[in-house]
Amino acid sequence: MKILCIETTCDETAAAVVTDDLQVLGSVVSSQEQLHQKFSGVVPEIAARAHVQRILPVIDETLNKSGVQLSDLDAIAVANTPGLSGSLLVGLVAAKALCLAYDLPLIAINHLHAHVYACQLESPSPVFPCVGLIVSGGHTHLYSYRDALTSCYLGGTIDDAAGEAFDKVASMLGLSYPGGPSISKAAIAGDPGAYRFPRSFIHEDRLDFSFSGLKTAVRYAIGGPGSGDVSNIELSDQQIADLSASFQQAVVDCLVSKSLQAIEQTNLTNLCVGGGVAANQLLRAKLQQRCDEKQVSLFIAPLKYCTDNAVMGAIAIERYKAGLFETLELDIKPGLVRH
Ligand code: KG4
Ligand code: ZN
C-alpha cells in the first residue's frame, strides 16, 4: 500500500510517499525559513502564498523521487489540523483535487499526533501506548495514547509554545531565526546557572506549561528601558551565551519534569517526544537521563523528523487500516482539538 502524505500546516511545504510497512519511498520538505527570517517568526499571509507556489512542484518532486505515479497510490492523506488557516487550506485543496481526479480515498492527519507518530518511524518496537509530548513552534502539549489513534489530552501551554519562546528570546538576543538552533549554539559557551529564570508550575500537579513569564524574565535580564526595542542594547558574547544557556535550561527543566509527571500520573511506561524542539540536544540528553533513572522507555523522533515533514503523516496508514476515510467535505480545523 502506498499513501501520498501532504503537510502544509505552518511554514514547510512537504510531501512524502510512505508504505504500510513504514518505508519512505520519497520525501520532500521545502522550508520557508528564509522568507520569515527577517520577521523573527512565521507571517501567516506569506506562508500561505508560498505554499500555493510550492505545493505542486513539491508533490511532483516527491512522486519522481519515489518512482511512483499518482495512479499507483492507494490514498492521499493531508494534515488538516491544527495550524494556520491559509496554510492548511492549500494542502487540503491540493489533496482533495488529487483525490477527485484519481478517484482516491482521502485521509485526515492530525499534525500533533503525527509529530508523536514520528517516534514510531525508525523504532524496531511499538511505541504505543505512551505519553506523547509535542513540543514545537506552535505547540507544547502532553497527551496519553492508548494507540496511535486514541488519545487523551493531559495538558499543555497556557500561553506561548516552547519553540515560540526560543524564537522570541533569540530575537531579543540578536540571534537568527529559527531561535532553537541558534540559542543552543550560543548556549554552549554559557553558564546555565548564571541567571535564575522561572520554571512555571514545576512544583504543581497540573500538566501545563507557561513560557511567557520566562520570556519576560529574559527581557528584564537583558536590561535597558523596560519596554520597546531591545535591539540596540549592547550585550557581550558572554552575556548572550549565559542568557541562552540559562533560558534553555529553564525550558528543558519544565519539559522534562512535566513529561515525567505525566508518566507517573498515567502509569504508562513509554514516553514519545516529537516536534521541532525535540531536536534540542540538551532536552534529548536530560530526558534520557531522567527516563533511565525512572525506568521509562524513551522514544524521541529521529532528528530528520522532528521539525515539520510529511513522513510523519504515515500515521495515515493506521487510519487506512482502521477504515477511517473522509469525504470531500473535509474542512480545516486550525485550532487545537483536545483528543
Ligand atoms: O515542529 P516545527 O517544525 O513547527 C511547528 O509545528 O511549530 O517546530 C519549529 C520550532 C521552532 O520554534 C524552532 O525554534 C524550534 O522548533 N527548534 C528548536 C530546535 N530546532 C528547532 N528548538 C530548540 N532547539 C533546537 N535545536
Ligand atoms: Zn509541527
Side-chain angles (χ1 to χ4, degrees), residues 24 27 29 118 121-122 279 284 300-312:
V24 182
S27 163
V29 179
L121 291 170
E122 291 179 359
R284 295 172 89 92
I300 309 183
L303 271 181
K304 61 184 173 207
Y305 301 138
C306 281
T307 46
D308 287 348
N309 64 87
V311 176
M312 66 192 194

Side-chain angles (χ1 to χ4, degrees), residues 7 9-10 12 82 111-112 115 134-139 274-276 306-309 312:
E7 155 64 45
T9 58
C10 188
E12 337 280 347
H111 177 77
L112 298 187
H115 268 306
I134 301 109
V135 63
S136 70
H139 301 279
C306 281
T307 46
D308 287 348
N309 64 87
M312 66 192 194

Side-chain angles (χ1 to χ4, degrees), residues 91-291:
L92 182 62
V93 168
K96 283 184 182 180
L98 292 174
C99 286
L100 194 61
Y102 288 84
D103 195 21
L104 289 168
L106 177 65
I107 300 177
I109 296 169
N110 177 309
H111 177 77
L112 298 187
H113 302 329
H115 268 306
V116 172
Y117 197 79
C119 297
Q120 186 65 73
L121 291 170
E122 291 179 359
S123 167
S125 57
V127 303
F128 298 99
C130 66
V131 163
L133 169 70
I134 301 109
V135 63
S136 70
H139 301 279
T140 304
H141 303 294
L142 283 160
Y143 285 82
S144 66
Y145 290 86
R146 198 168 69 204
D147 53 55
L149 304 181
T150 320
S151 61
C152 173
Y153 185 78
L154 298 174
T157 182
I158 59 162
D159 41 55
D160 299 335
E164 191 182 341
F166 268 98
D167 295 337
K168 293 283 153 53
V169 167
S171 159
M172 287 193 251
L173 297 177
L175 301 172
S176 63
Y177 174 84
S182 42
I183 288 208
S184 314
K185 200 168 155 214
I188 294 169
D191 171 6
Y195 296 85
R196 185 71 201 158
F197 288 137
R199 283 131 170 94
S200 298
F201 309 137
I202 206 151
H203 299 300
E204 295 178 36
D205 284 343
R206 60 191 285 189
L207 297 173
D208 291 323
F209 303 94
S210 165
F211 296 109
S212 75
L214 171 60
K215 237 171 43 184
T216 309
V218 176
R219 171 65 192 88
Y220 281 123
I222 290 173
S227 62
D229 193 9
V230 286
S231 58
N232 44 17
I233 299 173
E234 284 289 326
L235 293 170
S236 68
D237 287 350
Q238 192 56 51
Q239 277 174 307
I240 292 175
D242 287 343
L243 285 162
S244 296
S246 304
F247 163 78
Q248 177 176 244
Q249 187 67 56
V251 175
V252 167
D253 285 351
C254 294
L255 296 172
V256 172
S257 109
K258 289 294 157 192
S259 301
L260 270 294
Q261 258 178 279
I263 287 282
E264 250 176 57
Q265 289 183 21
T266 56
N267 286 322
L268 289 161
T269 53
N270 286 2
L271 174 63
C272 288
V273 186
V277 182
N280 185 277
Q281 292 302 333
L282 181 70
L283 176 63
R284 295 172 89 92
K286 291 284 169 204
L287 279 170
Q288 194 62 65
Q289 186 189 331
R290 289 291 302 283
C291 285

Side-chain angles (χ1 to χ4, degrees), residues 41-59:
V42 178
V43 182
E45 179 71 21
I46 294 176
R49 285 170 188 268
H51 284 308
V52 171
Q53 287 170 341
R54 297 173 185 204
I55 187 71
L56 293 180
V58 163
I59 291 174

